[in-house]
Amino acid sequence: MKNIKITPIIIFTLLSILISFSCDKEKNNLNPTVRFIQPENNIVIEHDTVLTIFVDAKDSDGYVTKVDLLINDTIVKEFFSPPYQYDWHGSKLENAGVHTIKAIAYDDKGASDYAEISIEIKDFRIKYLGDFYFKVIKESWMHFEPVATYDTSFYDGVIRRYELIDSDNDLFSGVDSNENQNEKITIEFKQNTKITSLIDDNGVLIPKSGYHYSHTGKFVHIDTIKFHVGGLGGLGYGYSYDVEGIRK
Protein backbone atom coordinates (compact mmCIF):
# COMPACT_ATOMS: atom_id res chain seq x y z
CA MET A 1 0.00 0.00 0.00
CA LYS A 2 1.23 3.40 -0.95
CA ASN A 3 1.72 5.75 1.99
CA ILE A 4 -0.08 9.08 1.75
CA LYS A 5 2.00 11.93 2.94
CA ILE A 6 -0.03 14.45 4.93
CA THR A 7 1.20 17.87 4.06
CA PRO A 8 0.24 21.27 5.47
CA ILE A 9 -1.67 21.92 2.25
CA ILE A 10 -3.84 18.82 2.84
CA ILE A 11 -4.47 19.82 6.47
CA PHE A 12 -5.45 23.32 5.39
CA THR A 13 -7.79 21.92 2.74
CA LEU A 14 -9.48 19.56 5.20
CA LEU A 15 -9.94 22.33 7.73
CA SER A 16 -11.40 24.59 5.04
CA ILE A 17 -13.89 21.88 4.10
CA LEU A 18 -14.92 21.38 7.74
CA ILE A 19 -15.32 25.10 8.34
CA SER A 20 -17.32 25.48 5.14
CA PHE A 21 -19.56 22.56 6.10
CA SER A 22 -20.07 24.02 9.56
CA CYS A 23 -20.94 27.44 8.15
CA ASP A 24 -23.41 25.95 5.71
CA LYS A 25 -24.97 24.06 8.55
CA GLU A 26 -25.30 27.27 10.57
CA LYS A 27 -26.78 29.07 7.56
CA ASN A 28 -29.41 26.38 7.24
CA ASN A 29 -30.32 26.51 10.92
CA LEU A 30 -33.90 27.55 11.56
CA ASN A 31 -34.65 30.03 14.34
CA PRO A 32 -36.64 28.78 17.30
CA THR A 33 -40.22 29.98 17.70
CA VAL A 34 -41.75 31.50 20.82
CA ARG A 35 -45.25 32.71 21.62
CA PHE A 36 -47.37 33.70 24.62
CA ILE A 37 -50.14 31.32 25.56
CA GLN A 38 -51.29 33.61 28.33
CA PRO A 39 -52.02 36.38 29.01
CA GLU A 40 -53.50 37.81 25.85
CA ASN A 41 -51.99 40.94 24.37
CA ASN A 42 -53.40 44.30 25.52
CA ILE A 43 -55.40 42.96 28.45
CA VAL A 44 -56.47 45.49 31.10
CA ILE A 45 -56.09 44.64 34.79
CA GLU A 46 -58.39 46.56 37.13
CA HIS A 47 -57.82 44.74 40.42
CA ASP A 48 -54.89 43.33 42.37
CA THR A 49 -53.99 39.92 41.03
CA VAL A 50 -51.16 37.47 40.45
CA LEU A 51 -50.67 37.37 36.68
CA THR A 52 -49.73 33.95 35.33
CA ILE A 53 -47.46 34.20 32.28
CA PHE A 54 -47.18 31.07 30.14
CA VAL A 55 -44.87 30.85 27.12
CA ASP A 56 -44.47 28.16 24.47
CA ALA A 57 -41.05 27.78 22.77
CA LYS A 58 -39.99 25.23 20.13
CA ASP A 59 -37.16 24.52 17.70
CA SER A 60 -37.91 22.42 14.61
CA ASP A 61 -34.31 21.44 13.77
CA GLY A 62 -32.76 21.24 17.21
CA TYR A 63 -33.80 22.14 20.73
CA VAL A 64 -34.43 25.20 22.88
CA THR A 65 -31.63 25.79 25.36
CA LYS A 66 -33.02 28.79 27.21
CA VAL A 67 -35.95 31.17 27.43
CA ASP A 68 -35.57 34.60 29.02
CA LEU A 69 -38.64 36.39 30.37
CA LEU A 70 -38.43 40.17 30.66
CA ILE A 71 -40.87 42.63 32.21
CA ASN A 72 -40.21 46.24 31.25
CA ASP A 73 -36.81 45.22 29.80
CA THR A 74 -35.68 43.57 33.04
CA ILE A 75 -35.08 39.81 33.12
CA VAL A 76 -37.31 38.33 35.81
CA LYS A 77 -36.81 34.65 34.99
CA GLU A 78 -34.45 32.40 33.00
CA PHE A 79 -35.86 29.02 31.96
CA PHE A 80 -33.58 26.16 30.93
CA SER A 81 -36.40 23.67 30.46
CA PRO A 82 -40.19 23.75 30.16
CA PRO A 83 -42.70 24.58 31.48
CA TYR A 84 -42.04 28.24 30.76
CA GLN A 85 -44.43 29.62 33.34
CA TYR A 86 -44.06 32.55 35.72
CA ASP A 87 -46.39 34.13 38.29
CA TRP A 88 -45.95 37.90 38.38
CA HIS A 89 -46.90 39.33 41.76
CA GLY A 90 -46.34 42.89 40.56
CA SER A 91 -49.68 43.07 38.74
CA LYS A 92 -51.24 45.30 41.38
CA LEU A 93 -53.06 48.58 41.12
CA GLU A 94 -50.17 50.39 42.77
CA ASN A 95 -48.20 49.64 39.57
CA ALA A 96 -50.75 51.33 37.31
CA GLY A 97 -49.58 51.91 33.76
CA VAL A 98 -48.62 50.03 30.58
CA HIS A 99 -46.13 47.19 31.01
CA THR A 100 -44.22 45.29 28.33
CA ILE A 101 -43.61 41.54 28.66
CA LYS A 102 -41.06 39.91 26.35
CA ALA A 103 -39.94 36.30 25.91
CA ILE A 104 -36.68 35.45 24.11
CA ALA A 105 -35.95 31.85 23.07
CA TYR A 106 -32.46 30.52 22.17
CA ASP A 107 -31.67 27.28 20.35
CA ASP A 108 -28.70 24.91 20.51
CA LYS A 109 -26.94 26.69 17.64
CA GLY A 110 -27.22 30.19 19.12
CA ALA A 111 -30.16 31.42 17.07
CA SER A 112 -32.96 33.29 18.84
CA ASP A 113 -36.44 34.67 18.43
CA TYR A 114 -38.72 36.77 20.62
CA ALA A 115 -42.36 37.58 21.26
CA GLU A 116 -43.73 40.64 23.02
CA ILE A 117 -47.06 41.69 24.53
CA SER A 118 -48.33 44.65 26.52
CA ILE A 119 -50.70 44.81 29.48
CA GLU A 120 -52.26 47.79 31.19
CA ILE A 121 -52.87 48.06 34.90
CA LYS A 122 -55.62 50.61 35.35
CA ASP A 123 -56.61 52.26 38.63
CA PHE A 124 -59.12 55.08 38.22
CA ARG A 125 -58.39 56.23 41.79
CA ILE A 126 -54.85 57.31 40.99
CA LYS A 127 -55.91 60.79 39.84
CA TYR A 128 -57.43 61.47 43.27
CA LEU A 129 -54.50 60.34 45.40
CA GLY A 130 -51.82 62.58 46.86
CA ASP A 131 -50.83 64.98 49.63
CA PHE A 132 -53.45 67.50 50.70
CA TYR A 133 -53.80 70.51 52.97
CA PHE A 134 -57.01 70.13 54.99
CA LYS A 135 -59.18 72.76 56.62
CA VAL A 136 -61.20 70.97 59.32
CA ILE A 137 -64.20 72.55 61.05
CA LYS A 138 -65.30 70.53 64.06
CA GLU A 139 -68.83 71.12 65.29
CA SER A 140 -69.52 69.95 68.86
CA TRP A 141 -72.77 69.93 70.79
CA MET A 142 -73.97 68.75 74.18
CA HIS A 143 -77.34 68.50 75.85
CA PHE A 144 -78.26 71.55 77.89
CA GLU A 145 -75.80 73.67 75.94
CA PRO A 146 -77.61 76.50 74.13
CA VAL A 147 -75.50 76.43 70.96
CA ALA A 148 -72.97 74.22 69.25
CA THR A 149 -69.31 75.19 69.27
CA TYR A 150 -67.02 75.29 66.27
CA ASP A 151 -63.29 74.79 66.07
CA THR A 152 -61.30 75.34 62.88
CA SER A 153 -57.92 73.66 62.43
CA PHE A 154 -55.51 73.02 59.55
CA TYR A 155 -53.64 69.82 58.91
CA ASP A 156 -51.28 68.23 56.42
CA GLY A 157 -52.88 65.00 55.30
CA VAL A 158 -53.05 62.47 52.53
CA ILE A 159 -55.49 60.62 50.30
CA ARG A 160 -54.17 57.19 49.38
CA ARG A 161 -55.27 53.76 48.32
CA TYR A 162 -57.20 51.84 50.92
CA GLU A 163 -55.38 49.26 52.99
CA LEU A 164 -57.17 46.55 54.94
CA ILE A 165 -55.76 47.70 58.27
CA ASP A 166 -57.40 51.12 57.78
CA SER A 167 -60.81 49.68 58.66
CA ASP A 168 -59.49 48.79 62.12
CA ASN A 169 -58.87 52.38 63.15
CA ASP A 170 -61.01 54.74 61.07
CA LEU A 171 -64.01 56.67 62.39
CA PHE A 172 -66.52 54.13 61.11
CA SER A 173 -67.11 51.46 63.75
CA GLY A 174 -69.27 49.11 61.70
CA VAL A 175 -68.39 46.23 59.38
CA ASP A 176 -67.49 47.27 55.83
CA SER A 177 -65.78 44.12 54.59
CA ASN A 178 -68.37 43.88 51.82
CA GLU A 179 -66.94 46.98 50.12
CA ASN A 180 -64.72 46.52 47.07
CA GLN A 181 -61.17 47.31 48.19
CA ASN A 182 -60.18 48.28 44.64
CA GLU A 183 -62.74 51.11 44.73
CA LYS A 184 -61.87 52.49 48.16
CA ILE A 185 -59.64 55.28 49.33
CA THR A 186 -58.36 56.30 52.74
CA ILE A 187 -58.47 59.98 53.71
CA GLU A 188 -56.24 61.00 56.60
CA PHE A 189 -57.48 64.52 57.18
CA LYS A 190 -56.48 65.11 60.79
CA GLN A 191 -53.79 63.73 63.07
CA ASN A 192 -54.75 60.13 63.90
CA THR A 193 -58.12 60.66 62.20
CA LYS A 194 -59.17 59.02 58.96
CA ILE A 195 -62.13 57.74 57.02
CA THR A 196 -62.31 55.05 54.36
CA SER A 197 -64.73 55.48 51.50
CA LEU A 198 -65.77 54.01 48.22
CA ILE A 199 -65.22 56.51 45.41
CA ASP A 200 -66.52 56.47 41.86
CA ASP A 201 -64.75 57.52 38.68
CA ASN A 202 -66.23 61.02 38.98
CA GLY A 203 -64.67 61.59 42.40
CA VAL A 204 -67.88 61.18 44.40
CA LEU A 205 -67.59 59.54 47.82
CA ILE A 206 -70.27 56.88 48.13
CA PRO A 207 -72.42 57.84 51.15
CA LYS A 208 -71.77 55.66 54.17
CA SER A 209 -73.64 55.41 57.44
CA GLY A 210 -73.71 53.37 60.59
CA TYR A 211 -74.20 53.64 64.32
CA HIS A 212 -73.26 57.24 65.23
CA TYR A 213 -71.62 57.74 61.83
CA SER A 214 -72.22 59.07 58.34
CA HIS A 215 -70.15 60.60 55.57
CA THR A 216 -70.82 62.23 52.22
CA GLY A 217 -68.73 64.33 49.87
CA LYS A 218 -66.97 64.60 46.54
CA PHE A 219 -64.12 66.12 44.59
CA VAL A 220 -65.45 69.45 43.34
CA HIS A 221 -62.27 69.68 41.26
CA ILE A 222 -59.45 67.23 40.68
CA ASP A 223 -57.42 69.18 43.27
CA THR A 224 -60.22 70.00 45.72
CA ILE A 225 -62.35 67.73 47.89
CA LYS A 226 -65.15 68.63 50.28
CA PHE A 227 -66.79 66.14 52.60
CA HIS A 228 -68.82 65.90 55.80
CA VAL A 229 -68.52 63.37 58.60
CA GLY A 230 -71.47 63.52 60.96
CA GLY A 231 -73.26 61.93 63.87
CA LEU A 232 -70.14 61.07 65.86
CA GLY A 233 -70.37 60.80 69.60
CA GLY A 234 -72.70 59.14 72.06
CA LEU A 235 -75.72 59.77 74.24
CA GLY A 236 -75.99 63.39 75.28
CA TYR A 237 -73.27 64.78 73.02
CA GLY A 238 -71.93 64.60 69.50
CA TYR A 239 -69.67 66.17 66.94
CA SER A 240 -69.18 66.41 63.19
CA TYR A 241 -66.47 67.43 60.75
CA ASP A 242 -66.75 69.64 57.70
CA VAL A 243 -63.56 69.22 55.71
CA GLU A 244 -62.09 70.90 52.65
CA GLY A 245 -58.87 69.56 51.17
CA ILE A 246 -56.62 71.28 48.66
CA ARG A 247 -53.97 69.29 46.83
CA LYS A 248 -50.43 70.43 47.60
Side-chain angles (χ1 to χ4, degrees):
M1 177 182 285
K2 185 177 181 180
N3 292 331
I4 299 175
K5 185 177 181 180
I6 300 176
T7 65
I9 293 177
I10 294 176
I11 294 175
F12 177 78
T13 302
L14 291 173
L15 286 175
S16 298
I17 293 172
L18 288 173
I19 292 171
S20 177
F21 177 78
S22 177
C23 290
D24 288 340
K25 192 175 180 181
E26 292 297 325
K27 288 179 182 178
N28 295 328
N29 178 45
L30 298 177
N31 289 347
T33 59
V34 60
R35 67 186 179 95
F36 284 91
I37 296 177
Q38 79 177 77
E40 295 180 0
N41 191 25
N42 295 322
I43 66 166
V44 177
I45 295 172
E46 297 182 294
H47 60 277
D48 289 351
T49 187
V50 176
L51 183 68
T52 297
I53 302 169
F54 191 24
V55 174
D56 179 46
K58 297 178 180 177
D59 187 43
S60 59
D61 61 345
Y63 57 92
V64 174
T65 58
K66 186 176 73 161
V67 173
D68 287 339
L69 184 67
L70 299 84
I71 298 179
N72 300 325
D73 295 324
T74 298
I75 295 178
V76 296
K77 182 70 175 180
E78 290 180 309
F79 300 96
F80 296 97
S81 62
Y84 310 117
Q85 181 175 326
Y86 178 76
D87 291 332
W88 184 37
H89 292 263
S91 51
K92 298 182 178 181
L93 296 185
E94 63 188 41
N95 294 320
V98 177
H99 301 268
T100 301
I101 305 175
K102 180 188 287 186
I104 307 174
Y106 302 88
D107 71 7
D108 54 309
K109 299 177 185 66
S112 64
D113 189 25
Y114 76 92
E116 185 174 289
I117 61 172
S118 293
I119 66 163
E120 181 179 4
I121 301 175
K122 187 176 181 181
D123 186 351
F124 72 88
R125 298 171 298 176
I126 196 167
K127 57 189 174 185
Y128 301 116
L129 310 181
D131 294 321
F132 283 76
Y133 185 62
F134 289 107
K135 174 185 176 182
V136 181
I137 301 174
K138 182 178 180 181
E139 175 192 5
S140 304
W141 61 269
M142 185 175 294
H143 277 312
F144 310 117
E145 293 291 334
V147 294
T149 60
Y150 295 87
D151 174 55
T152 301
S153 303
F154 299 88
Y155 299 91
D156 289 328
V158 65
I159 299 179
R160 56 178 173 79
R161 291 181 180 88
Y162 169 80
E163 297 177 4
L164 189 59
I165 194 173
D166 292 333
S167 288
D168 295 335
N169 53 17
D170 66 345
L171 291 175
F172 181 70
S173 59
V175 177
D176 54 10
S177 58
N178 61 320
E179 294 179 339
N180 186 342
Q181 296 182 31
N182 295 316
E183 298 176 357
K184 291 183 73 172
I185 59 172
T186 296
I187 306 175
E188 297 183 15
F189 62 92
K190 188 175 180 290
Q191 188 174 8
N192 300 320
T193 305
K194 70 182 71 164
I195 66 169
T196 62
S197 178
L198 291 169
I199 186 172
D200 68 17
D201 193 34
N202 295 314
V204 177
L205 305 184
I206 307 303
K208 187 173 182 176
S209 62
Y211 184 68
H212 291 302
Y213 180 89
S214 68
H215 80 233
T216 57
K218 65 179 181 178
F219 276 82
V220 296
H221 182 272
I222 191 63
D223 294 323
T224 305
I225 184 174
K226 293 183 179 180
F227 62 95
H228 175 80
V229 185
L232 304 169
L235 295 177
Y237 77 97
Y239 62 96
S240 303
Y241 294 115
D242 282 305
V243 184
E244 180 177 356
I246 304 296
R247 189 185 303 274
K248 289 185 176 180

